[in-house]
Amino acid sequence: MKKVIVILLLAALGFYLGTTFFNIGFGDPHFANGVKDFYLKETVDNLHVSNTVTSIVVNFRGFDTLGEVTVLFLAVTALGSILYKRRHEVGTRSVLFSSSSVVTAGSKLLFPAVILLGVYVFVHGHLSPGGGFQGGVIIATGFLLMLLSYENYSVSHKWLSIVESLAGIVFAGVGLLGFINGGTFLQNFLPTGVLNNLFSGGVIPIIYIAVGFKVAAELTGVIYTVLHEKGVK
Amino acid sequence: MSIMEIIGSVLILIGSIFLFLGGLGIYRMPDIYNRLQAGTKATTLGAMSLILGVGFLEPSWMLKSLIIIIFIAFSNPISSHALARANYKRKHFPLILSEDKKNMDAYREVIEQEDKEDKS
């Protein structure tokens, strides 16, 4: 009797799963005209953002971007936890020979310019090509330049983790504020301003600044951790 | 065609010729030092001339292109200096076809002296 009931339940479950599965319609055109027209029109008319890619990445698919940032965070955490013990056993970097004075002086001059470029790229993410990820990577290359030129240049891990956590909290907090004000997670709730203005696009600049800080802190942490790993010579 | 456009176009032409010669030098030269000097000198001047030409074609971008030129003037020689120095310190010595090997590579003596001091 018990077996019959189990078989019947399984059959019912299988039937419903099967009908749902075969009704999905793989390969069917779900949108007759595609969604591109909607994105292009909505971006300029209602969001007042000149960079359509940014508006898709941060506004229409903001949840996806939050996932990407989380994946990066997870990767950095995993790397840090793998290399943590070895770093504490050794403590210093293995350097074959120190950089020449040309490189040290030059990188001291170039470092502020690189940081400024990175900040520019992520602040203007909604106006020009670029955005939080790209700007963060540029800032991390600035720190890489300093770490390569100066043997004893050190980055505070405490500050890196504080910046990273604050940026993540800002991203998620903006999403929750959208939940409270607009109705859905990461909904735009700020005034969108005028097209091609620096202060426009609603929550997009805030999110991109947070993403820029987060990516910069994470990648700087990765570079620092890997450079301080001894063993490979 | 105004005078600014002519100047800009000529500068862009000069820059592209320099960049082409730099690429040819990287392909044709025998060792890393020759390649570095072909690549660095030609591409630094070529890129500077090209960007200056763009600044002449679009006068409102002139300030930005000057800043980019300063950046290239800093970063390009520094990076190739670091490459050449790292290569020399790893004992990839330059290719010398002449018989008089000692007097053509003065830096090798410095390196060998440093090595002796390290060992002692």
Side-chain angles (χ1 to χ4, degrees):
Chain A
M1 192 60 202
K2 212 174 175 182
K3 278 181 185 171
V4 174
I5 290 171
V6 168
I7 286 169
L8 277 175
L9 277 176
L10 275 179
L13 195 67
F15 177 72
Y16 281 111
L17 278 180
T19 45
T20 322
F21 185 76
F22 286 113
N23 279 333
I24 287 174
F26 291 105
D28 283 356
H30 289 285
F31 300 96
N33 298 318
V35 287
K36 60 181 193 305
D37 295 332
F38 171 77
Y39 282 148
L40 287 175
K41 201 168 158 7
E42 187 77 5
T43 302
V44 177
D45 290 353
N46 290 336
L47 280 172
H48 300 118
V49 175
S50 41
N51 188 349
T52 314
V53 175
T54 306
S55 81
I56 291 173
V57 167
V58 180
N59 202 301
F60 297 115
R61 300 184 61 187
F63 196 58
D64 196 54
T65 308
L66 187 61
E68 282 166 19
V69 171
T70 315
V71 166
L72 196 63
F73 172 70
L74 212 69
V76 172
T77 314
L79 189 72
S81 62
I82 290 168
L83 297 178
Y84 184 78
K85 192 160 168 270
R86 271 199 262 173
R87 196 177 68 235
H88 274 251
E89 277 171 0
V90 183
T92 49
R93 270 166 70 190
S94 56
V95 181
L96 280 178
F97 48 86
S98 51
S99 302
S100 69
S101 52
V102 176
V103 175
T104 49
S107 52
K108 209 183 253 176
L109 280 169
L110 286 175
F111 178 66
V114 174
I115 299 293
L116 185 68
L117 176 70
V119 172
Y120 180 89
V121 166
F122 72 66
V123 168
H124 291 75
H126 55 300
L127 301 175
S128 56
F133 289 95
Q134 291 87 339
V137 170
I138 291 171
I139 291 177
T141 56
F143 280 105
L144 174 65
L145 183 68
M146 290 307 269
L147 283 165
L148 285 179
S149 347
Y150 293 90
E151 282 166 61
N152 45 10
Y153 188 82
S154 70
V155 186
S156 163
H157 254 276
K158 204 181 111 197
W159 277 105
L160 281 184
S161 50
I162 287 173
V163 168
E164 195 182 330
S165 324
L166 274 181
I169 288 168
V170 167
F171 196 157
V174 166
L176 283 178
L177 280 177
F179 208 44
I180 294 165
N181 288 308
T184 55
F185 192 65
L186 284 166
Q187 173 103 30
N188 187 26
F189 60 90
L190 289 174
T192 49
V194 186
L195 188 68
N196 275 333
N197 234 335
L198 182 58
F199 294 102
S200 65
V203 295
I204 289 176
I206 300 172
I207 290 178
Y208 251 0
I209 288 169
V211 170
F213 272 105
K214 199 166 162 61
V215 171
E218 278 164 354
L219 289 183
T220 309
V222 167
I223 290 164
Y224 192 73
T225 315
V226 172
L227 275 180
H228 282 248
E229 186 221 9
K230 201 162 182 172
V232 189
K233 189 141 190 178
Chain B
M1 208 175 184
S2 68
I3 188 85
M4 292 286 267
E5 283 182 19
I6 294 171
I7 296 174
S9 310
V10 168
L11 279 172
I12 289 177
L13 183 68
I14 293 172
S16 15
I17 291 170
F18 265 96
L19 285 174
F20 170 73
L21 290 176
L24 189 71
I26 289 172
Y27 178 62
R28 290 287 297 168
M29 289 293 182
D31 73 338
I32 182 161
Y33 302 98
N34 286 316
R35 282 181 187 171
L36 267 177
Q37 75 132 356
T40 311
K41 283 178 186 169
T43 55
T44 308
L45 286 172
M48 281 159 98
S49 162
L50 207 150
I51 291 163
L52 195 67
V54 172
F56 271 105
L57 283 183
E58 291 277 342
S60 57
W61 297 353
M62 197 57 175
L63 194 68
K64 279 185 194 173
S65 51
L66 284 177
I67 293 171
I68 298 172
I69 285 172
I70 294 171
F71 182 79
I72 289 174
F74 265 116
S75 59
N76 220 344
I78 289 173
S79 58
S80 66
H81 156 80
L83 278 175
R85 187 169 175 276
N87 232 291
Y88 206 101
K89 291 262 182 178
R90 295 305 298 266
K91 306 211 167 39
H92 295 286
F93 294 119
L95 180 75
I96 297 172
L97 296 174
S98 160
E99 292 293 312
D100 184 21
K101 289 199 176 181
K102 263 291 187 221
N103 293 328
M104 292 190 74
D105 190 1
Y107 192 42
R108 188 187 287 199
E109 290 169 25
V110 180
I111 297 282
E112 279 164 3
Q113 192 65 35
E114 275 179 10
D115 270 5
K116 271 179 199 164
E117 279 169 14
D118 279 351
K119 273 171 194 165
S120 64

